[in-house]
Amino acid sequence: MRRLAFLGVAFLAAALFGSGAGAADMSKLDMYTATVHRSTVDELGREGFDIAATRQVPGGVQVDFVLSARDRDRLAAQGVKLALKRNKAGLTVRQQAAAQAAAGFDVWRSFDEPGGIRDELYEIAQKNPSIVKLEVIGHSLQGREIIALKVTKNARQLADGARPSVFYMATIHAREWIAAEVGRRLLRHFVDNYNKDAAVTNLVDTRELWFVPIVNPDGYQHTFDVERLWRKNLRDNNGDGQITVGDGVDSNRNYDEKWNYDNEGSSDNFSADDYRGPSAASEPETVAIQNLLKRLRFPFMVTYHSYGELLLYMWGFQVQ
């Protein structure tokens, strides 16, 4: 199992969604699966291929990849037999998207759209001033707000950190829409059930609950506007003025704690899915979270991811 940099709770996404792509577009991403030898998994990870999940199966390890057509062809040339990832109904990632869109499935909302995630977070704070304080803890590379909500009794009058606190954050990786929903719905669970549910009311009265449902707003918006399977932030790594496959930093590997420790838990290859960035805490999204952690020293935190069914504990830079 590849090592991650922070405590993570990984939820299996029911489906991945995206827009259609022409066969000639070599940069569009899709999901593939292959069975390879265990040593091959590590080698492909070091080469920067985007490995989404691995499973032990008879004959080796079954690997789920997120690949551009160009990387698909590169792997095929190395002898890796790839097949498009399909659900139980036989649909590929993009076919699932088309089918659900045609059926009117509209759960997912972008960050920027009217009534989207940003608007909802502001609305929650405005409608619940006695228990919710909204704070913009930083801005993304493209200037979007990184929004934190503190939920506690007298949230706006009480000094931050005055009560025992817990921190829930999600959507460091842009394509993990289900993580955003978990963070958003957990927030709403506490706010909507205050003074209705005794256990919820007691927790809000005696604890500080902090939420950042979208850590990576640029990347998250990019998954709606451009590329559904985009993972990282929108750092233009090669400086060509456009965001294409190979750009972006994985801010989950960009924290300054043990940054650049090795090339197993993160990569120095900027096209890799776990590229750690040019320097420790180089990304504004990382800095925003680090500053919040340093200021409040949360005794407990959870960061939500998808789609492997994993519980991951610190410290991520260590083997096992």
Side-chain angles (χ1 to χ4, degrees):
M1 183 179 72
R2 304 180 73 198
R3 295 177 292 149
L4 301 185
F6 255 67
L7 166 66
V9 179
F11 284 82
L12 180 64
L16 298 172
F17 300 83
S19 58
D25 188 346
M26 297 295 282
S27 69
K28 296 298 290 184
L29 299 174
D30 216 324
M31 201 160 198
Y32 299 83
T33 187
T35 299
V36 300
H37 189 272
R38 173 75 258 180
S39 61
T40 303
V41 179
D42 297 334
E43 180 181 343
L44 295 176
R46 286 191 293 270
E47 291 181 35
F49 290 104
D50 188 343
I51 297 174
T54 61
R55 295 172 293 279
Q56 295 289 337
V57 295
V61 179
Q62 190 176 67
V63 184
D64 292 340
F65 298 93
V66 177
L67 303 170
S68 65
R70 184 176 290 106
D71 280 342
R72 176 202 62 200
D73 293 347
R74 187 157 63 98
L75 271 177
Q78 296 181 29
V80 178
K81 296 181 179 179
L82 292 159
L84 281 166
K85 180 77 172 178
R86 297 180 185 273
N87 67 5
K88 293 180 180 179
L91 300 178
T92 68
V93 166
R94 297 190 181 281
Q95 288 169 339
Q96 290 176 63
Q100 292 203 341
F105 189 82
D106 59 359
V107 168
W108 315 113
R109 290 173 294 145
S110 73
F111 192 80
D112 292 348
E113 68 183 89
I117 301 297
R118 180 190 179 277
D119 285 356
E120 182 181 17
L121 296 179
Y122 270 90
E123 181 183 42
I124 289 171
Q126 290 164 0
K127 289 185 175 180
N128 301 276
S130 65
I131 60 168
V132 180
K133 183 189 81 164
L134 183 148
E135 180 179 343
V136 176
I137 61 172
H139 290 81
S140 66
L141 280 167
Q142 293 190 345
R144 290 183 175 86
E145 296 171 334
I146 301 172
I147 299 171
L149 268 65
K150 180 177 80 168
V151 179
T152 192
K153 185 178 181 179
N154 299 322
R156 303 186 187 190
Q157 291 76 40
L158 192 72
D160 295 346
R163 293 182 176 132
S165 57
V166 60
F167 179 35
Y168 302 98
M169 67 175 179
T171 330
I172 295 173
H173 298 137
R175 64 189 179 217
E176 298 173 3
W177 289 2
I178 195 68
E181 282 298 293
V182 170
R184 183 187 71 79
R185 293 182 189 214
L186 184 62
L187 164 65
R188 293 218 70 119
H189 174 74
F190 284 106
V191 173
D192 294 346
N193 287 289
Y194 185 70
N195 280 337
K196 298 175 184 176
D197 179 281
V200 167
T201 303
N202 179 64
L203 283 171
V204 173
D205 285 347
T206 61
R207 303 291 189 271
E208 280 185 32
L209 310 174
W210 286 78
F211 297 86
V212 179
I214 307 289
V215 174
N216 178 10
D218 290 352
Y220 182 70
Q221 188 64 37
H222 195 72
T223 64
F224 286 84
D225 295 342
V226 181
E227 174 51 68
R228 172 61 186 94
L229 295 178
W230 190 264
R231 170 183 165 89
K232 299 182 281 185
N233 75 354
L234 296 191
R235 170 72 63 188
D236 182 7
N237 291 332
N238 59 9
D240 66 353
Q242 55 186 334
I243 301 299
T244 56
V245 172
D247 286 323
V249 170
D250 180 355
S251 60
N252 206 38
R253 273 82 173 173
N254 188 237
Y255 295 102
D256 60 18
E257 177 68 22
K258 299 295 190 295
W259 183 86
N260 198 28
Y261 183 79
D262 63 22
N263 284 325
E264 182 179 351
S266 65
S267 177
D268 59 1
N269 175 1
F270 65 63
S271 66
D273 68 297
D274 57 356
Y275 173 52
R276 58 180 167 261
S279 60
S282 60
E283 307 309 294
E285 298 89 351
T286 309
V287 171
I289 297 300
Q290 282 198 173
N291 286 344
L292 186 65
L293 295 175
K294 290 175 180 177
R295 173 159 63 94
L296 293 176
R297 300 288 180 180
F298 299 100
F300 181 77
M301 65 171 288
V302 180
T303 172
Y304 293 104
H305 293 260
S306 71
Y307 82 152
E309 296 178 301
L310 306 170
L311 295 175
L312 302 175
Y313 298 87
M314 299 189 292
W315 295 94
F317 66 89
Q318 294 176 318
V319 175
Q320 298 180 343

